[in-house]
Amino acid sequence: MTLTPIPLGTGPVSPEQVVAIARHGHRVALTADALEAMASSRLIIDALVDDATPHYGVSTGFGALATKHIPLDQRTQLQRSLIRSHAASSGADVDREVVRGLMLGRLSTLATGRTGVRPVVAKTYAAMLNAGITPVIGEYGSLGCSGDLAPLSHVALALMGEGSVRTSDGELVPAAEALERAGISPVELREKEGLALINGTDGMLGMLVLASADLHLLLKTADLAAAMSVEGLLGTDAVFAADLHALRPHPGQQDSAANIRSLLQDSPLIAQELTSETGRHRFTRVQDAYSLRCAPQVHGAARATLTHARSVAVIELGSAIDNPVVTVDGRIESNGNFHGAPVGYVLDFLAIAVADVASMSERRTDRFLDKARNHGLNAFLASDPGVDSGHMIAQYTQAGIVSELKRLANPASVDSIPSSAMQEDHVSMGWAAGLKLRRALDGLTRVLAIEILTAARALDMRDGGLAASRSSGAIHAARVGVREVVEGPGTDRYLAPEIEAARVLVHDGTLISAVENALGMPLC
């Protein structure tokens, strides 16, 4: 069944639409109001073509060369030269969903009618997106000021029928060939259009929206991992009580505590640690370790950071970013709205939160492996300690990832290297912040997968197998999900495929779906 295309008008697209188009390949359709707005603003640009007064991007050079007036007969070449020279990225290809997110962001801005491009430019851009044509963009090249110039230039180059692209099935072909196969005519750019195609924060914004969706799932998964560890380490659920968190009512913290309470509800393992007479804990620990007890505070702080990042993304999705811009009352004005600082900052903020959530997860995992702290389980959860090593090296893998996440948490946005003969003397590095956040999220996924794999093993060893489960209903569902792809405890096996199987369960949301089905409600 063909899905109805997502309309692109003069208003913003939603984060959910960005994910649908960038990640899942949904098609787009420009609305009549968008086409009318573009045609109207183009008339304003056309009226300036013969004006003796220089207008930036219309009749001048660019950046540090903006003082040079360009004769009328050289302006088509000016646009071609701009795009060809700026399509200067290098390095490994960025992911397809990043390129599609970038393309969608630029197309959405074109549709506002504030850039002065002809409707045919946006129509061709949309046709490329719908055909699954993905320009090849290297990971290096954007400084995140004047927007993501190099990445966006590779897309504009493909629009002109030049450069390299990948087809919908991933085949690497020349852009001209891909356009011809799809029945799309290349565009010859006219005044102002080259700048309009490359002056935006669309690459870093697309990465922010995709990362926000991923982190939302991972924070729910972190709550699940924490709950499994609390249960597996015979911890207490009393610290997650709603009234305690109402004393420090950060919304994210309250959501995380509510999730963990739900996940541990009616856990026989937790209940058996209470005496029937007093309701007090039998064991002598006065308090659980911070990595168990303070999970809502840390996960909640990460949620608060995510909430802020999402608010920035929503504002940015509703923005028309170009330089110069065609104002609502018909003026052509230079501006600095292309600077990526608002997006770059929050990309870095999220990387910090990701590193901290992963660090706490690794500490919980380590407790399972230490016989002095795991409350009656074998050392390293080995079937036969000494002969077997259990999950000893899985924790090494976590530790290596967490160490890298701390390095990735170093903010890109505090750096700035002047460019364009000091015209662009302060830049955001937002593109770099986005790429490192994507790597950080992959790391967090793997760290949480190892914690869940370890907690499931510990619970099986404590219960004598899944069949004798004393877990809560939600955690039992998680254990069943893990056991569908990974065998239960036994003598040492090749561990890397089991870690990968658990990673997939976390990454694609299968595990959280199973848990939410068992709860009969979504987690916060």
Side-chain angles (χ1 to χ4, degrees):
M1 181 178 68
T2 302
L3 297 173
T4 302
I6 293 172
L8 295 184
T10 55
V13 292
S14 69
E16 294 76 17
Q17 289 172 328
V18 173
V19 174
I21 295 164
R23 179 167 289 168
H24 302 300
H26 284 233
R27 295 166 60 84
V28 300
L30 291 163
T31 64
D33 69 318
L35 296 172
E36 182 180 345
M38 286 185 281
S40 178
S41 64
R42 184 65 204 180
L43 294 175
I44 297 169
I45 298 298
D46 287 341
L48 300 176
V49 169
D50 296 320
D51 194 342
T53 303
H55 296 279
Y56 179 62
V58 177
S59 54
T60 71
F62 309 107
L65 304 176
T67 56
K68 181 176 177 62
H69 184 267
I70 308 298
L72 187 63
D73 62 354
Q74 293 184 354
R75 290 183 193 167
T76 299
Q77 180 60 41
L78 172 70
Q79 303 302 314
R80 283 197 295 265
S81 294
L82 172 71
I83 300 306
R84 288 169 176 168
S85 65
H86 283 50
S89 71
S90 183
D93 294 3
V94 298
D95 292 336
R96 175 183 177 84
E97 66 176 31
V98 172
V99 180
R100 287 184 61 82
L102 173 147
M103 293 174 70
L104 172 61
R106 187 68 336 214
L107 181 58
S108 181
T109 288
L110 299 179
T112 65
R114 304 274 63 82
T115 70
V117 303
R118 293 166 294 155
V120 67
V121 175
K123 286 181 178 178
T124 307
Y125 213 103
M128 284 175 53
L129 194 60
N130 287 340
I133 295 171
T134 307
V136 174
I137 300 173
E139 63 181 320
Y140 301 113
S142 175
L143 301 182
C145 200
S146 285
D148 293 314
L149 284 175
L152 283 162
S153 293
H154 282 274
V155 181
L157 192 70
L159 192 78
M160 294 162 45
E162 300 180 24
S164 298
V165 302
R166 292 194 182 276
T167 62
S168 58
D169 59 3
E171 181 186 1
L172 181 65
V173 298
E177 179 180 336
L179 293 179
E180 183 178 8
R181 287 188 200 175
I184 301 170
S185 299
V187 174
E188 183 173 83
L189 300 179
R190 291 172 49 183
E191 290 88 351
K192 175 65 175 65
E193 290 176 339
L195 273 183
L197 288 171
I198 67 175
N199 241 322
T201 58
D202 308 292
M204 63 184 91
L205 174 59
M207 286 190 277
L208 174 59
V209 174
L210 292 166
S212 296
D214 292 340
L215 186 53
H216 176 66
L217 172 63
L218 288 173
L219 289 176
K220 292 198 287 187
T221 308
D223 289 339
L224 170 62
M228 292 179 71
S229 291
V230 168
E231 190 180 64
L233 290 165
L234 304 180
T236 175
D237 62 349
V239 296
F240 308 119
D243 61 343
L244 294 178
H245 292 275
L247 297 174
R248 193 190 192 194
H250 290 289
Q253 176 180 325
Q254 291 181 306
D255 286 347
S256 178
N259 282 347
I260 296 174
R261 282 197 309 274
S262 296
L263 291 163
L264 290 172
Q265 187 174 359
D266 300 326
S267 166
L269 266 175
I270 297 290
Q272 80 172 21
E273 295 302 321
L274 298 171
T275 66
S276 58
E277 296 85 1
T278 67
R280 293 178 182 172
H281 287 274
R282 284 202 203 107
F283 54 75
T284 58
R285 293 197 310 281
V286 177
Q287 299 179 116
D288 287 327
Y290 288 4
S291 60
L292 302 173
R293 186 173 13 134
C294 300
Q297 286 76 9
V298 172
H299 298 177
R303 279 180 164 81
T305 307
L306 177 57
T307 297
H308 172 58
R310 283 174 154 174
S311 73
V312 171
V314 168
I315 292 171
E316 201 78 1
L317 288 171
S319 303
I321 296 175
D322 192 14
N323 181 48
V325 69
V326 181
T327 65
V328 176
D329 60 1
R331 302 180 341 268
I332 309 295
E333 297 287 356
S334 290
N335 64 89
N337 284 338
F338 49 73
H339 199 289
V343 182
Y345 283 7
V346 293
L347 287 165
D348 281 333
F349 296 165
L350 291 178
I352 293 169
V354 164
D356 203 30
V357 171
S359 179
M360 181 172 259
S361 172
E362 182 275 329
R363 287 293 81 204
R364 290 190 297 262
T365 304
D366 183 68
R367 297 188 76 81
F368 278 117
L369 307 182
D370 184 354
K371 187 171 177 58
R373 293 180 293 151
N374 67 19
H375 309 294
L377 297 170
N378 288 357
F380 301 106
L381 303 185
S383 179
D384 184 2
V387 175
D388 295 320
S389 296
H391 277 208
M392 177 193 295
I393 307 304
Q395 184 268 332
Y396 284 31
T397 300
Q398 272 191 320
I401 295 169
V402 168
S403 181
E404 178 168 354
L405 293 183
K406 293 173 184 177
R407 296 191 293 272
L408 292 172
N410 185 57
S413 56
V414 300
D415 189 25
S416 178
I417 298 180
S419 56
S420 193
M422 294 298 287
Q423 175 71 9
E424 299 169 9
D425 59 353
H426 186 277
V427 297
S428 77
M429 297 296 180
W431 173 267
L435 289 178
K436 73 182 182 66
L437 176 58
R438 288 177 63 80
R439 183 167 178 82
L441 288 167
D442 177 70
L444 176 59
T445 302
R446 296 173 191 277
V447 168
L448 292 173
I450 291 171
E451 181 184 1
I452 288 168
L453 194 63
T454 302
R457 182 179 179 91
L459 286 163
D460 278 3
M461 294 178 78
R462 203 175 286 288
D463 288 339
L466 183 60
S469 172
R470 292 175 289 164
S471 288
S472 69
I475 292 177
H476 178 77
R479 292 170 63 183
V480 169
V482 170
R483 288 293 160 253
E484 287 176 350
V485 296
V486 175
E487 290 181 39
T491 192
D492 284 352
R493 301 184 296 266
Y494 179 24
L495 197 51
E498 298 187 358
I499 293 172
E500 175 60 16
R503 184 202 66 82
V504 171
L505 287 179
V506 171
H507 175 73
D508 66 12
T510 298
L511 203 59
I512 287 298
S513 293
V515 167
E516 290 179 333
N517 287 337
L519 288 172
M521 65 177 190
L523 293 169
C524 300

